[in-house]
């Protein structure tokens, strides 16, 4: 049986319920195509070859898009017409066996608690589908800690791994020790990755800080994510540098897990600590910012009249709160799409390229000049 023959397909000499010598008048390769049926099941490349009057090798060249310069345009057109007529679809499982590829990528994310990672998946899956790949989404049960292998053997099930907002050493199990790894929103110095796709997080935080400092804020509190990853370290370092460069400006930090309630508690601590109250709260993501807005209301403060609040991500939540949230928009779908393109390029033997995507501040109603 040929490598691309499907189990259950019609016998070797049958096309449309006839043997190869019984195609019938007006049903040769050049005429009377009426949507033939293949007896016994799904058409094979051998069936396509017989209807088109060519060899199986020619069918493989044409349908594999490798015919240019080797097969005439007329023959290629006949093969494509025969394939359409028979409803032929390539046997991807058999092709995977021949190529040693499953055309499947694993996307590992810390959690599915925010829509950011769902958007990353949407972008990756769209590009994968265009290239004939599949994407398996795996939210690590350990968060940003070591991810367990979701398969008995990752190497037997996958062609590569894309990981968002995690450290490479947390992915040893799922990589199987040899799969190409593309890192998203992670350190560009990660030597284990064949390519990285990053958002310009530092510029995003500079935009947020510059916005508040430009409005006149000098007492700023950072409601920081209590997560030790590259992206949050960059935010903290960049904010400290921006505030430190302005004479008379001060910065206080309160760390919190990434939940609304913890964001509220951290903001309450920042707003009630001894000394002059902060006039602006810079939050590491929109979830923490929603908590900060709740804290202000509970303390009898108005946003933005008494305290300004900024976020990061531009989730749907940013326009659900009142006032709407000033935040840094991160193009999550573009990140996922770029990550999938990078992995597909590496698998195709093309040079790996690191990518940095721009971000933008979206000013809304939660920020204003400080109270006088």
């Amino acid at each position: 049986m040929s490598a691309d023959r499907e189990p259950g397909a019609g016998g070797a000499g049958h096309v449309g319920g006839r043997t190869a010598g019984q195609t019938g008048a007006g049903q040769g390769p050049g005429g009377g195509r009426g949507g033939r049926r293949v007896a016994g099941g799904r058409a094979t490349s051998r069936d396509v070859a017989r209807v088109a009057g060519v060899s199986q090798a020619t069918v493989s060249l044409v349908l594999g898009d490798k015919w240019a310069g080797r097969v005439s345009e007329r023959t290629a057109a006949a093969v494509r017409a025969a394939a359409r007529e028979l409803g032929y679809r390539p046997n991807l499982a058999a092709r995977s066996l021949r190529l040693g590829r499953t055309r499947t990528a694993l996307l590992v994310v810390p959690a599915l608690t925010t829509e950011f990672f769902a958007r990353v998946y949407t972008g990756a899956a769209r590009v994968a589908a265009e290239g004939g790949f599949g994407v398996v989404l795996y939210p690590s049960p350990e968060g940003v800690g070591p991810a367990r292998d979701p398969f008995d053997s990752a190497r037997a099930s996958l062609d590569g791994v894309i990981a968002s907002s995690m450290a490479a050493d947390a992915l040893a199990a799922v990589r199987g020790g040899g799969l190409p790894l593309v890192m998203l929103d992670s350190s560009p110095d990660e030597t284990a990755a064949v390519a990285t796709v990053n958002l310009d997080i530092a510029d995003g935080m500079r935009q947020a800080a510059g916005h508040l400092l430009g409005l006149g804020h000098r007492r700023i509190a950072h409601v920081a994510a209590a997560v030790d990853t590259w992206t949050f370290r960059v935010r903290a370092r960049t904010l400290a540098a921006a505030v430190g460069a302005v004479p008379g400006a001060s910065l206080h930090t309160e760390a919190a897990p990434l939940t609304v309630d913890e964001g509220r508690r951290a903001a309450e601590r920042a707003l009630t600590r001894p000394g002059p109250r902060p006039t602006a709260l810079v939050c590491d993501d929109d979830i923490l910012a929603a908590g900060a807005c709740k804290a202000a209301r509970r303390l009898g403060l108005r946003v933005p009249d008494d305290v300004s609040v900024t976020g990061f991500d531009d989730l749907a939540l940013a326009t659900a709160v009142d006032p709407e949230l000033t935040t840094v928009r991160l193009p999550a779908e573009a990140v996922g799409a770029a990550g999938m393109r990078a992995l597909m390029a590496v698998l195709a033997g093309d040079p790996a390229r690191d990518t940095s995507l721009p971000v933008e501040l979206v000013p809304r109603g939660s920020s204003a000049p400080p109270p006088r």
Side-chain angles (χ1 to χ4, degrees), residues 246-292:
V246 176
S250 63
L251 178 68
H252 172 73
T253 299
E254 291 286 347
L258 291 171
T259 69
V260 172
D261 279 346
E262 293 296 340
R264 175 184 58 77
R265 293 187 183 97
E268 286 175 350
R269 293 194 299 271
L271 292 169
T272 58
R273 64 189 297 265
R277 188 176 65 222
T279 61
L281 301 175
V282 178
C283 304
D284 268 352
D285 81 346
D286 293 346
I287 293 175
L288 294 177

Side-chain angles (χ1 to χ4, degrees), residues 21-280:
Q22 298 173 318
T23 54
Q27 294 191 11
R33 300 192 186 280
R36 304 184 197 191
R37 300 297 180 193
V38 175
R42 179 171 165 177
T44 70
S45 63
R46 181 175 297 177
D47 299 323
V48 175
R50 285 189 173 135
V51 170
V54 300
S55 68
Q56 275 187 275
T58 298
V59 171
S60 295
L61 287 173
V62 173
L63 299 184
D65 203 25
K66 298 178 180 178
W67 61 273
R70 305 165 77 177
V71 175
S72 71
E73 178 69 48
R74 180 177 179 180
T75 298
V79 170
R80 288 192 291 265
R84 285 194 301 271
E85 174 185 342
L86 295 172
Y88 171 74
R89 297 190 306 276
N91 182 348
L92 296 179
R95 179 182 294 176
S96 295
L97 289 174
R98 290 196 301 274
L99 300 177
R101 295 272 173 81
T102 63
R103 299 184 74 79
T104 303
L106 182 71
L107 173 61
V108 185
V109 299
L112 289 180
T113 53
T114 77
E115 70 193 69
F116 177 85
F117 296 116
R119 290 180 180 177
V120 169
Y121 170 78
T122 298
R126 173 175 50 80
V127 171
E130 292 168 357
F133 273 72
V135 179
V136 177
L137 179 62
Y138 181 56
S140 172
E142 309 302 329
V144 296
R148 297 194 298 267
D149 185 352
F151 306 108
D152 289 336
S153 173
R155 278 175 293 184
S157 307
L158 304 166
D159 285 337
V161 177
I162 305 170
S164 181
S165 311
M166 299 183 72
D169 58 7
L171 302 163
V174 296
R175 290 183 65 213
L179 293 172
L181 170 66
V182 174
M183 302 291 290
L184 314 180
D185 192 29
S186 304
S187 174
D189 299 324
E190 193 62 80
T191 57
V194 296
T196 60
V197 176
N198 279 315
L199 297 154
D200 196 343
I201 294 297
D203 183 58
M205 185 56 86
R206 278 192 292 269
Q207 290 183 50
H211 172 69
L212 293 171
L213 291 165
L215 289 172
H217 292 276
R218 292 298 180 266
R219 298 192 303 275
I220 297 174
H222 182 198
V223 180
V227 181
D228 186 23
T229 60
W230 171 83
T231 186
F232 293 120
R233 290 194 295 270
V234 168
R235 296 172 209 213
R237 186 168 62 244
T238 305
L239 179 59
V243 174
V246 176
S250 63
L251 178 68
H252 172 73
T253 299
E254 291 286 347
L258 291 171
T259 69
V260 172
D261 279 346
E262 293 296 340
R264 175 184 58 77
R265 293 187 183 97
E268 286 175 350
R269 293 194 299 271
L271 292 169
T272 58
R273 64 189 297 265
R277 188 176 65 222
T279 61

